[in-house]
Amino acid sequence: MNLTDPRVALVVAVLLGVVLGYRGCSKPKAIPNPFASHSRAHEPYAAFVKRMANNPDLSAKFNARFRASADPKSVGFEIAERGMRRLDAASLEQRMMFALKLVEFMDVPTCAALARPGAERNRQMQPQILKAIEQMPAKDIEGYLALVERAIVAELNNVAVPPLYPGRAEAPLHNLASRFSDAERAALRRVINSASTTTHDTACWMVRTVFSETLALPVADRQTLARLFSEPAQ
């Protein structure tokens, strides 16, 4: 496998969701704030939840998802994840920028886990993602939550997913691949083909490097790849 294979993009998609912590019961309770009162993320998150709660239509749709879910504790996280791919290309590019900022505040094992897809892993990583969020500058936290809010609204309103036409990503992937040396491409293949056995350092290097190199591409290329990276892992 090489970097022109679209599957490469799938394994470096970072889950950008925020836990909306409903408890598992017949009726949803008030959404608790996962950030401590002294955290710089506490107030932005509280404002985010208030905006959502004050929209009766969105609240009804969210509650319907909650009641239908087999895993109510992960409902908000899953809605945010699914909604990301419904956003426009500029928002998905912003997602990559925030992903790159987030990993800077993660320890190496947590960063490495982002290269190892899996629903169970996603649930286990929620506390680490929240910890990374609250370490970002306040302005970035507000921008990040605004992005997540747009994703949740898009998912609940069933906004159409913009199509990624066959062959559209081939040239941008080739341009991305050209930014790596032969040795680096070999390291990337090791992570892709054996993510579970690759060292944490190598897997984390892949996450950081692929996003940073993608963001260094011309705008048309990076937005096409941002769309590709938003596709669910298969």
Side-chain angles (χ1 to χ4, degrees), residues 79-228:
I79 289 174
E81 179 188 18
R82 293 172 183 169
M84 283 292 168
R85 60 195 297 260
R86 299 180 185 275
L87 299 180
D88 59 36
S91 294
L92 292 178
E93 181 183 2
Q94 186 182 35
R95 178 198 191 210
M96 283 199 299
M97 294 176 182
F98 281 126
L100 194 56
K101 290 180 179 181
L102 278 172
V103 298
E104 293 302 319
F105 295 105
M106 292 179 180
D107 58 29
V108 172
T110 301
C111 169
L114 298 174
R116 298 163 181 156
E120 183 60 29
R121 180 226 64 179
N122 290 342
R123 284 190 287 272
Q124 292 172 351
M125 284 183 60
Q126 291 177 20
Q128 290 95 323
I129 291 177
L130 292 173
K131 184 177 179 180
I133 291 171
E134 66 181 349
Q135 293 181 71
M136 292 195 299
K139 184 176 181 180
D140 287 336
I141 293 172
E142 292 173 2
Y144 174 86
L145 291 176
L147 175 67
V148 172
E149 182 176 347
R150 294 200 302 274
I152 291 173
V153 171
E155 174 65 17
L156 293 177
N157 287 336
N158 198 31
V159 173
V161 177
L164 180 64
Y165 297 105
R168 179 74 181 272
E170 184 175 343
L173 281 170
H174 177 79
N175 293 339
L176 176 61
S178 69
R179 301 183 68 86
F180 295 92
S181 68
D182 290 343
E184 289 171 332
R185 285 194 288 270
L188 290 172
R189 283 194 294 271
R190 287 197 296 273
V191 180
I192 293 162
N193 294 328
S194 304
S196 62
T197 59
T198 304
T199 67
H200 289 333
D201 284 337
T202 301
C204 184
W205 165 82
M206 173 181 173
V207 171
R208 289 175 173 167
T209 305
V210 169
F211 277 113
S212 62
E213 292 297 340
T214 299
L215 289 168
L217 292 170
V219 62
D221 283 355
R222 62 179 183 256
Q223 291 193 354
T224 296
L225 293 180
R227 173 70 58 202
L228 181 63

Side-chain angles (χ1 to χ4, degrees), residues 36-102:
S37 58
H38 63 269
S39 168
R40 68 174 67 128
H42 183 89
E43 288 302 322
Y45 186 86
F48 155 68
V49 169
K50 185 176 180 179
R51 289 193 299 272
M52 299 295 294
N54 286 343
N55 188 318
D57 180 58
L58 288 178
S59 294
K61 290 175 180 177
F62 185 93
N63 290 341
R65 294 283 189 100
F66 171 82
R67 289 190 293 269
S69 176
D71 185 10
K73 291 182 180 180
S74 295
V75 169
F77 211 69
E78 292 168 358
I79 289 174
E81 179 188 18
R82 293 172 183 169
M84 283 292 168
R85 60 195 297 260
R86 299 180 185 275
L87 299 180
D88 59 36
S91 294
L92 292 178
E93 181 183 2
Q94 186 182 35
R95 178 198 191 210
M96 283 199 299
M97 294 176 182
F98 281 126
L100 194 56
K101 290 180 179 181
L102 278 172

Side-chain angles (χ1 to χ4, degrees), residues 2-16:
N2 57 53
L3 276 173
T4 60
D5 189 322
R7 284 175 292 176
V8 175
L10 301 178
V11 301
V12 296
V14 174
L15 178 62
L16 287 183

